[in-house]
Amino acid sequence: MAYLKRYNHLKVLAHLCFWMVSLGVMLFLFYYNEKRVHFDLVILIKALVTNLSFALAVYINLWVLIPRFLKQKNYVFYIFWLVALLSFSSLFIQFLLIFPLRNVLNVGDRFRSFDTNLHAAYFSATLLYVVITSFLKFIKDWLALQDLNLKLARIERQKLEAELKTLKGQLNPHFLFNSLNNIYSLSLMQSEKVPDLILKLSDLMRHIIYDSRENFIPIEKEIEFVTNFIALQRIRAAENVRISYEISGDIPPSKIAPLLFEPFIDNAFKHGLPGTNGKDYILISFNFDSPGWLHFHIENNYEWLEEPIQKKESGIGIANVKQRLKHLYSASDYRLKIIHENHIHTVTLQLKLK
């Protein structure tokens, strides 16, 4: 509130300074034109009347014509009313100088009668004032718009960072909960794989806690994370389940948003292995054959009875991925496609690498 009040005071002061300078210019021009030895009341009145007429034209243009016509792109009406305003302003100056003031001050011919040349001169001078002040207004509005855009960009960036922190905060416990469940199930069977799996989980958590702090990390690190994650998830699958994991092409030295694939892979292992028909499978592939692009594909079978559970329990992680893709990539930089069809769940993600 105090800032706005101070701004308004400075704005008024700037306008006053402008018209004081204008008045000084008018006094000098009238004094020079009439070749007077010294300033007198007539010159002062002429300068004040002229300045008043210029001010009326300027503020009518700034406060009425520009907002109502120019900014609304009604250019024909704006030009029409601007010409009318300039004509009225030049006539107004001569009317005040010729009739009332000449008789009141009894100065005779020192206030000239109306003539066309003088009218054209006042018209041009008023136009000059209108052009200058309009230009100053456009500069001020442009600077204000730039300042507003910077503030909006700063607010949007802060909002994005807060949302990403929230999304990662939801994702990490979700992943940890599922992984610990896997190891716990294996520990009940006193499996010798438990220590090695705990070590892998430690590596995975290190990736989540430290590497995923950045919005983008090397793609090689993320692929390493996915490889360990799949190895950890295999313990929930039966021996007759076909699990295929392939990487095609050379992994480029590019960057990618972390933890984009974990929810889809976790969803496939958790809900995509009914274990009833002996033909259960999970296919996972990364393809780097297209330069600058990553093609991720995951496919698994599921039963109709599993679909409601799948949607209910896996929705948070996948929703997080969708939001992160939306925030970190432009619409043309990725394409996510999820299909449930003929007892097959398919996810395809085409992503432009950074």
Side-chain angles (χ1 to χ4, degrees):
M1 191 68 180
Y3 170 80
L4 183 60
K5 188 175 181 180
R6 184 168 65 253
Y7 170 79
N8 289 333
H9 288 166
L10 291 175
K11 184 178 178 181
V12 172
L13 181 61
H15 281 248
L16 289 175
C17 290
F18 177 86
W19 292 114
M20 290 300 293
V21 172
S22 174
L23 179 61
V25 172
M26 292 298 105
L27 286 171
F28 173 78
L29 290 177
F30 281 118
Y31 172 77
Y32 178 81
N33 184 57
E34 297 189 8
K35 298 180 174 59
R36 304 294 293 172
V37 178
H38 56 80
F39 288 100
D40 58 15
L41 182 60
V42 174
I43 294 177
L44 177 61
I45 291 176
K46 282 187 174 183
L48 287 173
V49 169
T50 305
N51 221 38
L52 174 63
S53 179
F54 288 161
L56 288 175
V58 163
Y59 289 117
I60 290 175
N61 176 63
L62 294 179
W63 295 345
V64 179
L65 299 187
I66 289 179
R68 293 193 59 181
F69 300 110
L70 188 59
K71 288 188 175 181
Q72 303 300 324
K73 299 183 178 180
N74 295 325
Y75 303 119
V76 175
F77 284 99
Y78 175 74
I79 294 174
F80 171 80
W81 285 112
L82 180 61
V83 172
L85 174 64
L86 297 176
S87 300
F88 172 80
S89 176
S90 58
L91 290 173
F92 178 73
I93 295 174
Q94 294 187 77
F95 175 80
L96 288 181
L97 294 182
I98 293 171
F99 298 105
L101 297 180
R102 180 172 62 181
N103 295 329
V104 170
L105 295 177
N106 194 24
V107 291
D109 292 336
R110 291 182 58 190
F111 287 97
R112 301 176 183 176
S113 58
F114 179 84
D115 67 69
T116 305
N117 292 334
L118 191 61
H119 175 73
Y122 282 127
F123 184 95
S124 300
T126 309
L127 175 62
L128 179 63
Y129 268 74
V130 168
V131 169
I132 291 174
T133 53
S134 298
F135 178 75
L136 293 176
K137 175 178 173 58
F138 293 146
I139 290 295
K140 188 198 74 170
D141 290 348
W142 182 81
L143 292 175
L145 180 61
Q146 297 304 309
D147 182 62
L148 178 61
N149 288 337
L150 287 175
K151 290 180 180 178
L152 291 176
R154 191 180 301 114
I155 292 173
E156 184 65 22
R157 185 170 61 253
Q158 292 173 350
K159 178 183 176 183
L160 174 59
E161 291 174 355
E163 288 181 352
L164 288 176
K165 288 180 180 178
T166 301
L167 293 176
K168 287 180 180 179
Q170 293 175 355
L171 182 61
N172 297 348
H174 176 75
F175 162 75
L176 180 60
F177 176 77
N178 291 334
S179 299
L180 288 175
N181 271 349
N182 293 339
I183 296 177
Y184 173 74
S185 300
L186 203 59
S187 67
L188 292 179
M189 298 183 293
Q190 298 181 347
S191 172
E192 296 179 354
K193 298 179 181 179
V194 170
D196 182 59
L197 292 174
I198 292 177
L199 185 60
K200 287 185 180 294
L201 178 60
S202 176
D203 292 337
L204 295 177
M205 293 308 300
R206 185 180 298 108
H207 178 82
I208 291 177
I209 295 173
Y210 296 106
D211 295 338
S212 66
R213 287 180 179 179
E214 303 295 329
N215 289 334
F216 296 95
I217 64 171
I219 182 65
E220 190 173 3
K221 282 190 175 182
E222 187 64 17
I223 293 297
E224 182 182 356
F225 168 82
V226 170
T227 301
N228 291 334
F229 183 74
I230 292 175
L232 189 65
Q233 293 284 21
R234 284 179 184 269
I235 62 176
R236 71 168 62 181
E239 293 183 358
N240 62 339
V241 174
R242 182 167 64 95
I243 299 177
S244 174
Y245 173 48
E246 296 181 352
I247 300 176
S248 302
D250 296 329
I251 300 177
S254 303
K255 291 190 175 183
I256 191 174
L259 305 177
L260 290 179
F261 312 108
E262 178 269 334
F264 300 118
I265 297 172
D266 180 63
N267 182 59
F269 277 97
K270 188 172 184 179
H271 303 296
L273 300 176
T276 57
N277 56 20
K279 298 181 180 180
D280 300 331
Y281 71 94
I282 298 176
L283 305 179
I284 305 170
S285 66
F286 290 90
N287 189 299
F288 295 97
D289 291 334
S290 299
W293 286 86
L294 161 64
H295 295 263
F296 168 74
H297 178 84
I298 183 168
E299 178 182 319
N300 62 271
N301 63 307
Y302 71 95
E303 289 186 349
W304 294 114
L305 294 178
E306 286 290 323
E307 188 174 7
I309 300 176
Q310 186 176 13
K311 289 184 177 180
K312 180 180 178 180
E313 297 185 5
S314 64
I316 294 177
I318 293 176
N320 285 347
V321 171
K322 291 179 178 179
Q323 291 186 53
R324 295 180 66 213
L325 286 171
K326 181 180 178 181
H327 287 315
L328 294 173
Y329 294 89
S330 63
S332 60
D333 287 346
Y334 76 93
R335 182 181 179 186
L336 176 63
K337 192 174 183 180
I338 302 176
I339 300 176
H340 297 277
E341 191 174 73
N342 298 326
H343 292 228
I344 303 297
H345 176 71
T346 304
V347 177
T348 302
L349 174 62
Q350 300 178 20
L351 187 65
K352 187 176 183 179
L353 301 175
K354 298 291 184 179

